[in-house]
Amino acid sequence: MIRGKTALVTGSTSGIGLAVLRAFAAQGANVAMTGSRPADEAEEARREIETSTGLAARYFQADMSAPSEIAEMIARVMAAFGAIDILVNNAGVQYVAPIEDFPAEKWDLVLAVNLSAAFHAIRAVAPGMKSRRWGRIINMASAHALVASPFKSAYVAAKHGLAGLTKTAALEMAQHGVTVNAIAPGYVWTPLVERQIPETMRARGMTREQVVEDVLLKAQPTREFITTEQVAALALFLASDEARGMTGAILSMDGGWTAQ
């Protein structure tokens, strides 16, 4: 049961993170929403969660590429709720370019947000979880934690690193009642992906159907997008008592992508 627990989900103002946050709140958890946007831009989603569940939902702004802001944000969450029982490291950014054209500052940013931020967050919450002998850490990886694609050197490196971090943290906390797992989705249907379709149609001279089938879903044998609700359901299971025997797992949800 996660009722009465506090869940912190990074990068949770939209997409996967918001779906996970809503799923936790629906099961009775207090939730901490984070993002880089000003608080007023996240207010509608925060209020909707609080109104529909009657539970506390708070927004905490932080630059996830800055270790000091991550530490400050987590301290504020702990001060507001007393503890962080569930941590979902979901914040992420992407940049696509050939290695020889990949800007060094973009490499640093992608690694900072997609990998180092998870380390800093885990480092901050681990002592409390271990002392209470209960905790759930869920890292949002990707199919790119297991396989590579061209032009995504930083993202693939970060997600492979996140898989390694997941396993190491799981081993360190295995005897303290804390589980650490990663979800590795393929292409997930989010507003961000949907907004890219018209641009790709114009750039490639394709129909909407061609963009979806031949560009976005080419890697996934099911030829179907993963939904944010599916990812959230798996996160909810990993946070449950029924999943206490699972730790150090990298769980694919990718329509068969990595089975090929």
Side-chain angles (χ1 to χ4, degrees):
M1 290 287 293
I2 65 168
R3 183 169 298 279
K5 304 288 189 185
T6 294
L8 166 62
V9 183
T10 68
S12 51
T13 57
S14 64
I16 292 173
L18 182 56
V20 171
L21 205 74
R22 285 172 170 154
F24 286 154
Q27 292 300 312
N30 297 312
V31 292
M33 172 187 291
T34 76
S36 59
R37 302 175 182 179
D40 59 338
E41 294 184 20
E43 179 58 20
E44 183 179 352
R46 188 207 66 79
R47 190 187 306 112
E48 181 268 323
I49 291 172
E50 202 165 69
T51 301
S52 64
T53 65
L55 300 169
R58 296 277 301 276
Y59 177 75
F60 300 85
Q61 185 178 358
D63 177 355
M64 297 304 290
S65 70
S68 61
E69 290 201 26
I70 295 170
E72 181 184 350
M73 177 267 291
I74 288 178
R76 285 187 284 129
V77 174
M78 289 181 175
F81 291 105
I84 295 173
D85 304 295
I86 302 164
L87 168 67
V88 181
N89 288 305
N90 174 72
V93 295
Q94 175 64 288
Y95 190 83
V96 179
I99 288 176
E100 64 270 24
D101 298 327
F102 212 102
E105 64 273 16
K106 292 296 186 182
W107 169 274
D108 292 341
L109 176 65
V110 173
L111 267 290
V113 175
N114 291 279
L115 176 57
S116 296
F119 163 76
H120 292 299
I122 292 170
R123 181 174 180 269
V125 304
M129 289 182 176
K130 289 168 73 173
S131 69
R132 293 188 299 274
R133 300 198 61 79
W134 198 96
R136 298 289 185 266
I137 298 171
I138 302 166
N139 295 323
M140 204 58 63
S142 163
H144 285 120
L146 303 170
V147 296
S149 292
F151 313 123
K152 297 181 179 180
S153 56
Y155 189 82
V156 171
K159 294 301 186 179
H160 272 65
L162 189 60
L165 175 62
T166 298
K167 295 176 183 180
T168 301
L171 294 176
E172 291 188 15
M173 290 185 267
Q175 296 183 26
H176 297 275
V178 181
T179 66
V180 188
N181 294 288
I183 300 174
Y187 281 108
V188 179
W189 184 252
T190 63
L192 180 64
V193 169
E194 187 174 10
R195 285 195 297 270
Q196 292 174 13
I197 292 177
E199 297 174 3
T200 306
M201 289 169 60
R202 288 192 295 270
R204 299 196 179 204
M206 289 180 165
T207 66
R208 178 184 176 88
E209 291 71 24
Q210 287 173 324
V211 170
V212 171
E213 291 296 325
D214 299 334
V215 177
L216 298 177
L217 293 181
K218 186 176 181 180
Q220 298 185 181
T222 59
R223 296 286 181 167
E224 294 179 351
F225 285 101
I226 309 303
T227 68
T228 58
E229 290 78 14
Q230 289 167 348
V231 179
L234 181 52
L236 193 60
F237 172 71
L238 290 174
S240 71
D241 287 336
E242 287 77 10
R244 63 185 178 275
M246 295 179 65
T247 196
I250 314 299
L251 300 170
S252 295
M253 181 179 276
D254 60 14
W257 182 346
T258 55
Q260 299 177 96

